[in-house]
Amino acid sequence: MNYRHAFHAGNFADVFKHAFLMMALETLRAKDKPFVVVDTHAGIGLYDLAGTQAGKTGEWEQGIGRLIARDDLPDLLKPYVQAIRDLNPDGGLRWYPGSPWLEAKALRQKDRLIACELHPEDAPALDHNLRRFGGVRVENADGYATLKGQVPPPERRGLVLIDPPFERTDEIEVIIRALRGAVKRWASGSYAVWYPIKDPAATAAFHDALAGLAADGVTSAWALDLMIRPPRWADKLNGCGFAFINPPWGVLKAAETVMPWLTDVLGQEPGARWTARWLIGEG
């Protein structure tokens, strides 16, 4: 409840997360059938990089600031960067979209987004920022609790994004519990979980917990990690990752092409690297 993403909007973690989120959404759009997106921790949806909060950290300068003017973007990253440019038609870089904004923009007339935000101040801001889009419902509610009532969706196709601030000490246990309940009701859905990487041992434990979902019937789980520096400090954000249950083919296809370039551009110290591994199954 104390977390404010505006301090971190557009940083390296957002670039990584949103680029691959858009690839997942493009995979859903490739088929004519409707889909639903459930975003459990949506935030406010649109961020002012010239605002006080973003200005205090300047984290976006080491993230989207490194990409926006590049003329050597891999083709798979161009739709993501173009979405940022579209928000800033006068040039420069002031506005940055959150996950729900990108999700809402990707909807077709027959698709839906359920965006959950628990914070009592952020939920109305989210509703305001997404008002321009059709097919969107904003819930001022706990995303984990809302997820229970949304799967399986009538569309039978879609993506669940779980992107919590990791303020609570039991966040990993809560995530695993939410996934276990969801996949039992909707085994064919795609689930994407973003996570910070500080202590590699904690990340390995999270991967092991995800692998344990094989006992609940999960047959396909894959993790993609980006390290912007070697993990010398366990209390510092050294990288981040995306774990997918039933990963969209577009995401799997993109990693080998996009990640070497993205790691080179976003790395902040020598030793930056990326890894991908199957936690359950082999694709």
Side-chain angles (χ1 to χ4, degrees):
M1 294 295 289
N2 296 319
Y3 180 82
R4 284 293 187 278
H5 190 68
F7 288 101
H8 314 289
N11 68 0
F12 81 91
D14 265 2
V15 170
F16 169 78
K17 173 175 57 184
H18 293 150
F20 279 89
L21 172 63
M22 285 194 66
M23 295 173 204
L25 294 169
E26 282 301 309
T27 301
L28 288 170
R29 287 166 52 89
K31 293 185 178 180
D32 186 59
K33 294 180 180 179
F35 63 83
V36 65
V37 179
V38 180
D39 192 328
T40 63
H41 297 75
I44 65 173
L46 191 63
Y47 299 92
D48 184 357
L49 299 182
T52 302
Q53 293 170 315
K56 282 185 177 180
T57 64
E59 290 184 16
W60 64 269
E61 296 176 5
Q62 306 302 318
I64 189 59
R66 293 187 175 186
L67 271 71
I68 196 67
R70 298 285 296 234
D71 58 6
D72 61 339
L73 293 166
D75 287 344
L76 291 169
L77 284 179
K78 288 179 180 178
Y80 160 67
V81 175
Q82 189 59 49
I84 314 304
R85 290 171 177 163
D86 290 346
L87 266 176
N88 297 275
D90 297 329
L93 185 57
R94 177 173 181 180
W95 301 103
Y96 187 82
S99 298
W101 195 96
L102 295 170
E103 292 155 355
K105 190 175 186 295
L107 298 180
R108 303 162 300 184
Q109 190 171 4
K110 53 194 169 184
D111 306 322
R112 294 188 299 129
L113 167 64
I114 302 162
C116 306
E117 176 51 49
L118 181 60
H119 199 285
E121 295 176 8
D122 289 356
L126 175 65
D127 186 64
H128 173 78
N129 288 330
L130 298 186
R131 199 164 293 168
R132 74 188 75 180
F133 301 106
V136 176
R137 187 170 89 240
V138 172
E139 296 275 356
N140 182 194
D142 182 290
Y144 295 121
T146 301
L147 178 60
K148 292 180 182 179
Q150 298 301 325
V151 296
E155 295 89 347
R156 298 289 172 170
R157 296 182 66 236
L159 174 72
V160 173
L161 174 63
I162 300 177
D163 175 25
F166 283 84
E167 283 186 309
R168 51 193 297 175
T169 58
D170 63 343
E171 197 77 64
I172 289 177
E173 291 82 357
V174 174
I175 290 171
I176 296 298
R177 188 161 58 244
L179 288 171
R180 181 173 290 117
V183 298
K184 286 182 178 179
R185 296 189 295 275
W186 189 29
S188 62
S190 288
Y191 300 83
V193 184
W194 179 90
Y195 51 93
I197 300 178
K198 296 181 179 179
D199 180 0
T203 302
F206 181 45
H207 286 174
D208 289 343
L210 289 167
L213 292 173
D216 297 282
V218 174
T219 59
S220 178
W222 180 78
L224 179 65
D225 291 350
L226 167 66
M227 302 296 297
I228 60 168
R229 65 175 66 89
R232 289 190 289 267
W233 300 279
D235 61 344
K236 190 172 185 177
L237 186 64
N238 299 302
C240 63
F242 234 157
F244 290 88
I245 292 175
N246 301 324
W249 61 263
V251 171
L252 296 174
K253 179 182 177 182
E256 290 288 342
T257 301
V258 170
M259 287 305 297
W261 187 92
L262 204 57
T263 303
D264 183 62
V265 171
L266 295 179
Q268 295 184 15
E269 294 181 21
R273 61 184 175 85
W274 70 278
T275 56
R277 59 178 290 226
W278 286 97
L279 306 175
I280 303 172
E282 296 181 2

